[in-house]
Amino acid sequence: MRTLAETKSRWEDTFKEGSSIADLQRAVKFNGPHSPCVAGLRSICWKAFLLWRDAPAEQWPELARESRAAYSAICGQHLRYIRHPEQLAALTIDPLADDPDSPWNAVRRDETARAEILQDVQRLPDEPFYHEERVQTMILDILFLYCKLNPGVGGYRQGMHELLAPIVWVVAQDAVDRATVTTDDPAEALIVEMLDSAFVEHDAFSLFSKVMESAGPFYEVKGSASSDTPQKNTIVERSKYIHEVALTKIDEELANHLRNIEVLPQIFLIRWIRLLFGREFNFGQLLSLWDILFAYDPHLELIDLICVAMLLRIRWTLLEADYSVALQLMLKYPTPAPPHGPHTFVDDALYLKGHFDAAGGVTLIFKYTGKSPANSSFTTPAPSRTTTPSFQKFNSLRQRTLGARSPLPARILQQPGGVEALLQGAAKNVMQRGEKLGINQAVRDAVGEIRRNVQGFQETRNTTRGARALSLFGEATPPPLQDHALTVAMMEKRNRRLAAMLDESVTNLKLLAASGFEGEKEKHLETVELAAAKIQFVKACLEDASLALPEEELPSLGTLTISGSAEISSSTVALDTTPLVMTSSAVDETRTALSTPDSSKGNSVLASPPAESQAKQLIAEVDKMDTDHHDEDTLPPLKSELTNSPSPPAVLTVIPDTPPPPVPIQREQRPHGPIPTRSTLAQSSFAWMLEPDSATSSLQRPHSSSFSSSGRPPSSGGGSTAQRKRVNPSREKNAFLFGEVTGDGAGEGLLSADQIFGLQPIRKGG
Amino acid sequence: MANDEYDFLFKVVLIGDSGVGKSNLLSRFTRNEFNLDSKSTIGVEFATRSIQIDNKTIKAQIWDTAGQERYRAITSAYYRGAVGALLVYDISKSLSFENVTRWLKELRDHADSNIVIMLVGNKTDQRHLRAVPTEDGKNFASENGLSFIETSALEATNVDLAFQNILTSIYQIVSSKSLAEEGADVGKKFDPREGNNISLSQEGTKQEKQGCC
């Protein structure tokens, strides 16, 4: 156990950047070895992220006291006879009474439940800490009480013990033995109280219960006690969502491949998800992954995208893999090499949340592998799909989006993403500054609102694009080019003005910050509110494109572009610049139309042609999203200092001579349903695993039809493929067993199962 | 990459109560390893090993799953395509033997009706703790048409034999079947790409050929 002096210094390190959640979040994400979770007190950070998120730091001790008292009460109630069997013996109740409510019978049931838990607790991973007897008892008690208090989960489920164990370890690691400490300093006394080793169990229980609020559904299974829970919450549905919706949208080629080789996602995802990746990475890596996860995603909504990000990292290997190789790979996930350790999967997931489409996938694939998917596999997102940032929100989002009538004229949508990217960049900036200065919830709220509305904007946009694309199926003609150019020009103009408004607000806030809040508080408050109001107005304009911008905002246009264009150029590279309904030739012509000098002046990046800049975009994007700088600098670089000259981002010029990758644009395809059906087992080499009816139905389809025409390399090393080439037909057929008996089965009588089994005794042994 | 070549690929599943030693049977057979503190299985594990029977290479794809899963979320995926099952109990835990009936029912419900099943009493190293006599296991097996063996993954007793026996049984059903089919016009019928399959249940006339046990 640590000394008080060391603990105190760690305590101070933990809050070096401030004690607000946002401060801690940033420090955890960007500070690497100086993260409060590493150099400071991880248990305090986790408690702050999970338990005390909405409370100011002054209230934390009180909250801790309350939850500890509650746990003590629970222990007294449920562990009384287990911890003190002599009290049970002292009762005047017949131990053999039939009454199911008799304490004797209750204790017997409890003992059975505990035995089941203990069996797993004794098989915890190798950490010596887990195998100390007092620790095992602690883990057993916590799990037992959790199940007692949450009968809805249907009792202990294997895997919960490995979610709890790291939590216990983390809390115990930071604990201080009160008995060894004497202090008169109230601050030190508070630290000791917060980290009192007598309450490791209590605190671990609180943390575990909180994690299980979100992770509990991963353990739900059909037919469990909570049968009224919708079945979509089971791990299987979640796995399907990850494969068939999330992965399909982000990397359709990979999703199709996994489907073709018939890897059922739940086979590997069940462990990934239930243990929150606990078995996939080593202990230290797991803790840093959880640090960021808890910091940014206490409700575990990013899990889906973390899984997708993990699949993207090994996509090239997976694409070459057959069934058994792929499964081995995913059940023994290769350790990601530093500096992109497992914690960066959370970064990736955060990125994918904002870029829930093929372009987002390409960016990540390029970032980690240096290759982008082949032309043919890079399809634009299917128009019928909406932005679906999470499994939980999936359905409601879809309804909302489908129900919403788009306020945007369709032709404005031809330059998608510009506004969004602009706003995200600006919003990020405002946020960082605001938080750095420790000010104004007001601004944060406004910015948060903008983000939400950008989300809404994006959904609306997608809907409209979908509708438009659909209407085009009949004619399949691209919209008139003039229309595009005009739209883009209009959009640009509007964007510039909106940017100007935002910039003005930002400038005011900066000035306010620079003033150091000297002077009248009211005046500052007014400034902040004014800025918030303006931001709100921009939001409204973005929501409704028909809203006219007031002319008097124009004068500030001049001041905007200095900082604004830098902002824009770094943001715009993130755009989904592939308008859905364009054909390649249309793009070419539009490109010509758009890259004329006057339209590119001032804001050239917005007008930059999609295809040519794709590689540049990727690199710029990758650079921009990379959060893995563990600099001394505690804040992410602020991109658009007012004083900076509007130099174009250096990355854009890095590879000017590299030939651009193939144009990632295709003629729009017929939209897929949101959840594609799985039907290709029959075509795979594992067809023999099929149930009779599906195997039969597969006969009607030509073999090649379901294979992706993406031109991916044939899985040359694939065992079964190679096998098929090698063996002669009669050997080949032998490799396939079981399954349906075809109708023309040569009239052979079927043996009953009993006959088969009776004839197959294996007598050796015993 | 799976560059190994094989004549037959058999999927075999391990089932039985939590803690009876399924994972260690798997690791003993596929890697000749035993781990006294092995972690409980979450979801599914899977490993392969190829053996020779009758000059043919048999690749066994062995699946191991969490024993607790009467709550299994992945039952159908787990049993799909399995041609053999090792139903394991712990000879020192009578409850795990009593639950064999339940596991057998699950197999009947979810697996191919012709799956070859072997009852395995594991942990024979725990002699002093034996709670299930060998005779009980044998009797249960013969009553239910299962083959039977006792093993110790810890001492590596009978583990290879158990897998070899069940794989041989499966192989013999298949090979005798293919002999019977020889000469018949099966080329088209057994084109695997069309999803056609051989079923064990079509065959059974060549039982005299088996000599593995």
Side-chain angles (χ1 to χ4, degrees), chain A residues 311-336:
Chain A
L311 292 173
L312 290 184
R313 286 251 191 131
I314 54 171
R315 98 180 280 273
W316 298 109
T317 322
L318 281 177
L319 285 177
E320 298 281 319
D322 64 6
Y323 176 85
S324 114
V325 172
L327 214 51
Q328 299 271 26
L329 196 61
M330 292 186 287
L331 288 173
K332 288 192 176 58
Y333 191 85
T335 306

PDB file of all heavy atoms in Angstrom, chain A residues 311-336:
ATOM      1  N   LEU A 311     -11.922  -4.419 -36.029  1.00  0.00           N
ATOM      2  CA  LEU A 311     -11.990  -5.197 -37.267  1.00  0.00           C
ATOM      3  C   LEU A 311     -11.282  -4.460 -38.403  1.00  0.00           C
ATOM      4  O   LEU A 311     -10.606  -5.080 -39.228  1.00  0.00           O
ATOM      5  CB  LEU A 311     -13.454  -5.472 -37.635  1.00  0.00           C
ATOM      6  CG  LEU A 311     -14.192  -6.417 -36.686  1.00  0.00           C
ATOM      7  CD1 LEU A 311     -15.669  -6.496 -37.038  1.00  0.00           C
ATOM      8  CD2 LEU A 311     -13.574  -7.806 -36.722  1.00  0.00           C
ATOM      9  N   LEU A 312     -11.430  -3.137 -38.428  1.00  0.00           N
ATOM     10  CA  LEU A 312     -10.789  -2.371 -39.503  1.00  0.00           C
ATOM     11  C   LEU A 312      -9.266  -2.527 -39.461  1.00  0.00           C
ATOM     12  O   LEU A 312      -8.611  -2.580 -40.490  1.00  0.00           O
ATOM     13  CB  LEU A 312     -11.146  -0.886 -39.384  1.00  0.00           C
ATOM     14  CG  LEU A 312     -12.592  -0.477 -39.705  1.00  0.00           C
ATOM     15  CD1 LEU A 312     -12.733   1.030 -39.620  1.00  0.00           C
ATOM     16  CD2 LEU A 312     -13.003  -0.969 -41.081  1.00  0.00           C
ATOM     17  N   ARG A 313      -8.727  -2.579 -38.247  1.00  0.00           N
ATOM     18  CA  ARG A 313      -7.263  -2.666 -38.145  1.00  0.00           C
ATOM     19  C   ARG A 313      -6.722  -3.949 -38.752  1.00  0.00           C
ATOM     20  O   ARG A 313      -5.581  -3.998 -39.176  1.00  0.00           O
ATOM     21  CB  ARG A 313      -6.843  -2.632 -36.687  1.00  0.00           C
ATOM     22  CG  ARG A 313      -6.977  -1.287 -36.113  1.00  0.00           C
ATOM     23  CD  ARG A 313      -5.758  -0.543 -35.806  1.00  0.00           C
ATOM     24  NE  ARG A 313      -6.229   0.589 -35.021  1.00  0.00           N
ATOM     25  CZ  ARG A 313      -5.703   0.966 -33.889  1.00  0.00           C
ATOM     26  NH1 ARG A 313      -4.650   0.346 -33.427  1.00  0.00           N
ATOM     27  NH2 ARG A 313      -6.217   1.966 -33.237  1.00  0.00           N
ATOM     28  N   ILE A 314      -7.516  -5.005 -38.679  1.00  0.00           N
ATOM     29  CA  ILE A 314      -7.008  -6.271 -39.232  1.00  0.00           C
ATOM     30  C   ILE A 314      -7.739  -6.621 -40.521  1.00  0.00           C
ATOM     31  O   ILE A 314      -7.766  -7.777 -40.935  1.00  0.00           O
ATOM     32  CB  ILE A 314      -7.146  -7.425 -38.212  1.00  0.00           C
ATOM     33  CG1 ILE A 314      -8.580  -7.554 -37.714  1.00  0.00           C
ATOM     34  CG2 ILE A 314      -6.221  -7.213 -37.031  1.00  0.00           C
ATOM     35  CD1 ILE A 314      -8.815  -8.814 -36.882  1.00  0.00           C
ATOM     36  N   ARG A 315      -8.323  -5.637 -41.156  1.00  0.00           N
ATOM     37  CA  ARG A 315      -9.182  -5.935 -42.304  1.00  0.00           C
ATOM     38  C   ARG A 315      -8.452  -6.644 -43.441  1.00  0.00           C
ATOM     39  O   ARG A 315      -8.977  -7.544 -44.051  1.00  0.00           O
ATOM     40  CB  ARG A 315      -9.840  -4.666 -42.826  1.00  0.00           C
ATOM     41  CG  ARG A 315      -9.155  -4.037 -44.012  1.00  0.00           C
ATOM     42  CD  ARG A 315      -9.829  -2.787 -44.483  1.00  0.00           C
ATOM     43  NE  ARG A 315     -11.007  -2.978 -45.317  1.00  0.00           N
ATOM     44  CZ  ARG A 315     -10.983  -3.134 -46.643  1.00  0.00           C
ATOM     45  NH1 ARG A 315      -9.849  -3.185 -47.292  1.00  0.00           N
ATOM     46  NH2 ARG A 315     -12.094  -3.258 -47.326  1.00  0.00           N
ATOM     47  N   TRP A 316      -7.228  -6.214 -43.709  1.00  0.00           N
ATOM     48  CA  TRP A 316      -6.536  -6.814 -44.854  1.00  0.00           C
ATOM     49  C   TRP A 316      -6.258  -8.280 -44.596  1.00  0.00           C
ATOM     50  O   TRP A 316      -6.378  -9.108 -45.508  1.00  0.00           O
ATOM     51  CB  TRP A 316      -5.241  -6.060 -45.150  1.00  0.00           C
ATOM     52  CG  TRP A 316      -5.500  -4.625 -45.529  1.00  0.00           C
ATOM     53  CD1 TRP A 316      -5.224  -3.515 -44.785  1.00  0.00           C
ATOM     54  CD2 TRP A 316      -6.115  -4.148 -46.734  1.00  0.00           C
ATOM     55  NE1 TRP A 316      -5.636  -2.383 -45.450  1.00  0.00           N
ATOM     56  CE2 TRP A 316      -6.179  -2.737 -46.652  1.00  0.00           C
ATOM     57  CE3 TRP A 316      -6.615  -4.778 -47.871  1.00  0.00           C
ATOM     58  CZ2 TRP A 316      -6.720  -1.951 -47.659  1.00  0.00           C
ATOM     59  CZ3 TRP A 316      -7.155  -3.985 -48.871  1.00  0.00           C
ATOM     60  CH2 TRP A 316      -7.205  -2.589 -48.767  1.00  0.00           C
ATOM     61  N   THR A 317      -5.878  -8.600 -43.374  1.00  0.00           N
ATOM     62  CA  THR A 317      -5.668 -10.008 -43.059  1.00  0.00           C
ATOM     63  C   THR A 317      -6.988 -10.766 -43.117  1.00  0.00           C
ATOM     64  O   THR A 317      -7.050 -11.879 -43.627  1.00  0.00           O
ATOM     65  CB  THR A 317      -5.072 -10.139 -41.649  1.00  0.00           C
ATOM     66  OG1 THR A 317      -4.155  -9.078 -41.440  1.00  0.00           O
ATOM     67  CG2 THR A 317      -4.371 -11.459 -41.485  1.00  0.00           C
ATOM     68  N   LEU A 318      -8.014 -10.144 -42.587  1.00  0.00           N
ATOM     69  CA  LEU A 318      -9.318 -10.814 -42.582  1.00  0.00           C
ATOM     70  C   LEU A 318      -9.813 -11.086 -43.995  1.00  0.00           C
ATOM     71  O   LEU A 318     -10.393 -12.129 -44.269  1.00  0.00           O
ATOM     72  CB  LEU A 318     -10.354  -9.961 -41.839  1.00  0.00           C
ATOM     73  CG  LEU A 318     -10.315 -10.003 -40.320  1.00  0.00           C
ATOM     74  CD1 LEU A 318     -11.362  -9.053 -39.744  1.00  0.00           C
ATOM     75  CD2 LEU A 318     -10.567 -11.422 -39.824  1.00  0.00           C
ATOM     76  N   LEU A 319      -9.564 -10.140 -44.880  1.00  0.00           N
ATOM     77  CA  LEU A 319     -10.059 -10.311 -46.245  1.00  0.00           C
ATOM     78  C   LEU A 319      -9.394 -11.505 -46.929  1.00  0.00           C
ATOM     79  O   LEU A 319      -9.950 -12.085 -47.848  1.00  0.00           O
ATOM     80  CB  LEU A 319      -9.825  -9.040 -47.063  1.00  0.00           C
ATOM     81  CG  LEU A 319     -10.771  -7.881 -46.756  1.00  0.00           C
ATOM     82  CD1 LEU A 319     -10.396  -6.659 -47.569  1.00  0.00           C
ATOM     83  CD2 LEU A 319     -12.218  -8.271 -47.023  1.00  0.00           C
ATOM     84  N   GLU A 320      -8.197 -11.838 -46.472  1.00  0.00           N
ATOM     85  CA  GLU A 320      -7.496 -12.979 -47.048  1.00  0.00           C
ATOM     86  C   GLU A 320      -7.867 -14.280 -46.351  1.00  0.00           C
ATOM     87  O   GLU A 320      -7.481 -15.356 -46.789  1.00  0.00           O
ATOM     88  CB  GLU A 320      -5.978 -12.788 -46.891  1.00  0.00           C
ATOM     89  CG  GLU A 320      -5.420 -11.581 -47.614  1.00  0.00           C
ATOM     90  CD  GLU A 320      -5.240 -11.863 -49.094  1.00  0.00           C
ATOM     91  OE1 GLU A 320      -4.788 -12.975 -49.416  1.00  0.00           O
ATOM     92  OE2 GLU A 320      -5.559 -10.984 -49.905  1.00  0.00           O
ATOM     93  N   ALA A 321      -8.540 -14.165 -45.245  1.00  0.00           N
ATOM     94  CA  ALA A 321      -8.693 -15.323 -44.374  1.00  0.00           C
ATOM     95  C   ALA A 321      -9.932 -16.136 -44.714  1.00  0.00           C
ATOM     96  O   ALA A 321     -10.955 -15.598 -45.135  1.00  0.00           O
ATOM     97  CB  ALA A 321      -8.771 -14.866 -42.922  1.00  0.00           C
ATOM     98  N   ASP A 322      -9.814 -17.435 -44.524  1.00  0.00           N
ATOM     99  CA  ASP A 322     -10.998 -18.273 -44.605  1.00  0.00           C
ATOM    100  C   ASP A 322     -11.621 -18.346 -43.215  1.00  0.00           C
ATOM    101  O   ASP A 322     -11.162 -17.697 -42.279  1.00  0.00           O
ATOM    102  CB  ASP A 322     -10.653 -19.665 -45.143  1.00  0.00           C
ATOM    103  CG  ASP A 322      -9.720 -20.428 -44.217  1.00  0.00           C
ATOM    104  OD1 ASP A 322      -9.447 -19.927 -43.115  1.00  0.00           O
ATOM    105  OD2 ASP A 322      -9.263 -21.511 -44.593  1.00  0.00           O
ATOM    106  N   TYR A 323     -12.645 -19.161 -43.122  1.00  0.00           N
ATOM    107  CA  TYR A 323     -13.412 -19.212 -41.889  1.00  0.00           C
ATOM    108  C   TYR A 323     -12.538 -19.455 -40.670  1.00  0.00           C
ATOM    109  O   TYR A 323     -12.562 -18.685 -39.706  1.00  0.00           O
ATOM    110  CB  TYR A 323     -14.447 -20.339 -42.013  1.00  0.00           C
ATOM    111  CG  TYR A 323     -15.263 -20.581 -40.783  1.00  0.00           C
ATOM    112  CD1 TYR A 323     -16.404 -19.837 -40.552  1.00  0.00           C
ATOM    113  CD2 TYR A 323     -14.898 -21.559 -39.866  1.00  0.00           C
ATOM    114  CE1 TYR A 323     -17.174 -20.054 -39.427  1.00  0.00           C
ATOM    115  CE2 TYR A 323     -15.663 -21.789 -38.738  1.00  0.00           C
ATOM    116  CZ  TYR A 323     -16.802 -21.037 -38.530  1.00  0.00           C
ATOM    117  OH  TYR A 323     -17.548 -21.259 -37.406  1.00  0.00           O
ATOM    118  N   SER A 324     -11.735 -20.498 -40.738  1.00  0.00           N
ATOM    119  CA  SER A 324     -11.064 -20.856 -39.500  1.00  0.00           C
ATOM    120  C   SER A 324      -9.925 -19.894 -39.178  1.00  0.00           C
ATOM    121  O   SER A 324      -9.715 -19.554 -38.013  1.00  0.00           O
ATOM    122  CB  SER A 324     -10.683 -22.337 -39.580  1.00  0.00           C
ATOM    123  OG  SER A 324      -9.401 -22.591 -39.618  1.00  0.00           O
ATOM    124  N   VAL A 325      -9.267 -19.390 -40.192  1.00  0.00           N
ATOM    125  CA  VAL A 325      -8.215 -18.396 -39.937  1.00  0.00           C
ATOM    126  C   VAL A 325      -8.820 -17.117 -39.371  1.00  0.00           C
ATOM    127  O   VAL A 325      -8.313 -16.533 -38.408  1.00  0.00           O
ATOM    128  CB  VAL A 325      -7.441 -18.103 -41.237  1.00  0.00           C
ATOM    129  CG1 VAL A 325      -6.484 -16.944 -41.022  1.00  0.00           C
ATOM    130  CG2 VAL A 325      -6.702 -19.331 -41.696  1.00  0.00           C
ATOM    131  N   ALA A 326      -9.916 -16.701 -39.960  1.00  0.00           N
ATOM    132  CA  ALA A 326     -10.550 -15.468 -39.486  1.00  0.00           C
ATOM    133  C   ALA A 326     -10.969 -15.602 -38.029  1.00  0.00           C
ATOM    134  O   ALA A 326     -10.750 -14.709 -37.215  1.00  0.00           O
ATOM    135  CB  ALA A 326     -11.768 -15.141 -40.358  1.00  0.00           C
ATOM    136  N   LEU A 327     -11.545 -16.739 -37.710  1.00  0.00           N
ATOM    137  CA  LEU A 327     -12.013 -16.925 -36.341  1.00  0.00           C
ATOM    138  C   LEU A 327     -10.847 -16.977 -35.361  1.00  0.00           C
ATOM    139  O   LEU A 327     -10.897 -16.393 -34.282  1.00  0.00           O
ATOM    140  CB  LEU A 327     -12.826 -18.219 -36.271  1.00  0.00           C
ATOM    141  CG  LEU A 327     -13.985 -18.207 -35.288  1.00  0.00           C
ATOM    142  CD1 LEU A 327     -14.860 -16.994 -35.484  1.00  0.00           C
ATOM    143  CD2 LEU A 327     -14.805 -19.472 -35.438  1.00  0.00           C
ATOM    144  N   GLN A 328      -9.795 -17.674 -35.755  1.00  0.00           N
ATOM    145  CA  GLN A 328      -8.605 -17.720 -34.891  1.00  0.00           C
ATOM    146  C   GLN A 328      -8.106 -16.304 -34.633  1.00  0.00           C
ATOM    147  O   GLN A 328      -7.713 -15.954 -33.526  1.00  0.00           O
ATOM    148  CB  GLN A 328      -7.472 -18.507 -35.572  1.00  0.00           C
ATOM    149  CG  GLN A 328      -7.788 -19.948 -35.869  1.00  0.00           C
ATOM    150  CD  GLN A 328      -7.446 -20.869 -34.717  1.00  0.00           C
ATOM    151  OE1 GLN A 328      -7.424 -20.448 -33.584  1.00  0.00           O
ATOM    152  NE2 GLN A 328      -7.210 -22.131 -35.033  1.00  0.00           N
ATOM    153  N   LEU A 329      -8.106 -15.525 -35.704  1.00  0.00           N
ATOM    154  CA  LEU A 329      -7.578 -14.167 -35.607  1.00  0.00           C
ATOM    155  C   LEU A 329      -8.410 -13.331 -34.643  1.00  0.00           C
ATOM    156  O   LEU A 329      -7.884 -12.564 -33.840  1.00  0.00           O
ATOM    157  CB  LEU A 329      -7.606 -13.548 -37.007  1.00  0.00           C
ATOM    158  CG  LEU A 329      -6.783 -12.304 -37.260  1.00  0.00           C
ATOM    159  CD1 LEU A 329      -5.317 -12.593 -37.037  1.00  0.00           C
ATOM    160  CD2 LEU A 329      -7.007 -11.825 -38.693  1.00  0.00           C
ATOM    161  N   MET A 330      -9.679 -13.496 -34.705  1.00  0.00           N
ATOM    162  CA  MET A 330     -10.531 -12.658 -33.870  1.00  0.00           C
ATOM    163  C   MET A 330     -10.628 -13.174 -32.440  1.00  0.00           C
ATOM    164  O   MET A 330     -10.872 -12.400 -31.523  1.00  0.00           O
ATOM    165  CB  MET A 330     -11.899 -12.523 -34.522  1.00  0.00           C
ATOM    166  CG  MET A 330     -11.764 -11.709 -35.807  1.00  0.00           C
ATOM    167  SD  MET A 330     -13.285 -11.301 -36.616  1.00  0.00           S
ATOM    168  CE  MET A 330     -13.751 -12.863 -37.278  1.00  0.00           C
ATOM    169  N   LEU A 331     -10.414 -14.465 -32.277  1.00  0.00           N
ATOM    170  CA  LEU A 331     -10.398 -14.996 -30.916  1.00  0.00           C
ATOM    171  C   LEU A 331      -9.022 -14.814 -30.266  1.00  0.00           C
ATOM    172  O   LEU A 331      -8.868 -14.951 -29.063  1.00  0.00           O
ATOM    173  CB  LEU A 331     -10.804 -16.465 -30.903  1.00  0.00           C
ATOM    174  CG  LEU A 331     -12.296 -16.724 -31.182  1.00  0.00           C
ATOM    175  CD1 LEU A 331     -12.582 -18.209 -31.308  1.00  0.00           C
ATOM    176  CD2 LEU A 331     -13.177 -16.120 -30.105  1.00  0.00           C
ATOM    177  N   LYS A 332      -8.016 -14.579 -31.088  1.00  0.00           N
ATOM    178  CA  LYS A 332      -6.699 -14.226 -30.542  1.00  0.00           C
ATOM    179  C   LYS A 332      -6.265 -12.959 -31.247  1.00  0.00           C
ATOM    180  O   LYS A 332      -5.379 -12.963 -32.100  1.00  0.00           O
ATOM    181  CB  LYS A 332      -5.688 -15.352 -30.800  1.00  0.00           C
ATOM    182  CG  LYS A 332      -5.915 -16.566 -29.953  1.00  0.00           C
ATOM    183  CD  LYS A 332      -4.718 -17.513 -30.034  1.00  0.00           C
ATOM    184  CE  LYS A 332      -4.885 -18.704 -29.114  1.00  0.00           C
ATOM    185  NZ  LYS A 332      -6.097 -19.492 -29.394  1.00  0.00           N
ATOM    186  N   TYR A 333      -6.874 -11.884 -30.861  1.00  0.00           N
ATOM    187  CA  TYR A 333      -6.681 -10.629 -31.571  1.00  0.00           C
ATOM    188  C   TYR A 333      -5.224 -10.178 -31.463  1.00  0.00           C
ATOM    189  O   TYR A 333      -4.655 -10.143 -30.366  1.00  0.00           O
ATOM    190  CB  TYR A 333      -7.597  -9.559 -30.979  1.00  0.00           C
ATOM    191  CG  TYR A 333      -7.656  -8.306 -31.806  1.00  0.00           C
ATOM    192  CD1 TYR A 333      -8.537  -8.208 -32.863  1.00  0.00           C
ATOM    193  CD2 TYR A 333      -6.807  -7.246 -31.549  1.00  0.00           C
ATOM    194  CE1 TYR A 333      -8.591  -7.069 -33.634  1.00  0.00           C
ATOM    195  CE2 TYR A 333      -6.849  -6.104 -32.323  1.00  0.00           C
ATOM    196  CZ  TYR A 333      -7.748  -6.028 -33.363  1.00  0.00           C
ATOM    197  OH  TYR A 333      -7.785  -4.898 -34.133  1.00  0.00           O
ATOM    198  N   PRO A 334      -4.593  -9.881 -32.605  1.00  0.00           N
ATOM    199  CA  PRO A 334      -3.191  -9.488 -32.557  1.00  0.00           C
ATOM    200  C   PRO A 334      -3.001  -8.174 -31.785  1.00  0.00           C
ATOM    201  O   PRO A 334      -3.757  -7.226 -31.988  1.00  0.00           O
ATOM    202  CB  PRO A 334      -2.819  -9.302 -34.031  1.00  0.00           C
ATOM    203  CG  PRO A 334      -4.109  -9.140 -34.748  1.00  0.00           C
ATOM    204  CD  PRO A 334      -5.144  -9.872 -33.961  1.00  0.00           C
ATOM    205  N   THR A 335      -2.022  -8.145 -30.931  1.00  0.00           N
ATOM    206  CA  THR A 335      -1.792  -6.952 -30.116  1.00  0.00           C
ATOM    207  C   THR A 335      -1.405  -5.784 -30.998  1.00  0.00           C
ATOM    208  O   THR A 335      -0.454  -5.874 -31.770  1.00  0.00           O
ATOM    209  CB  THR A 335      -0.658  -7.208 -29.120  1.00  0.00           C
ATOM    210  OG1 THR A 335      -0.979  -8.381 -28.385  1.00  0.00           O
ATOM    211  CG2 THR A 335      -0.512  -6.042 -28.157  1.00  0.00           C
ATOM    212  N   PRO A 336      -2.151  -4.711 -30.927  1.00  0.00           N
ATOM    213  CA  PRO A 336      -1.782  -3.554 -31.745  1.00  0.00           C
ATOM    214  C   PRO A 336      -0.469  -2.936 -31.247  1.00  0.00           C
ATOM    215  O   PRO A 336      -0.256  -2.808 -30.041  1.00  0.00           O
ATOM    216  CB  PRO A 336      -2.941  -2.588 -31.568  1.00  0.00           C
ATOM    217  CG  PRO A 336      -3.795  -3.126 -30.495  1.00  0.00           C
ATOM    218  CD  PRO A 336      -3.308  -4.453 -30.073  1.00  0.00           C
TER     219      PRO A 336
END
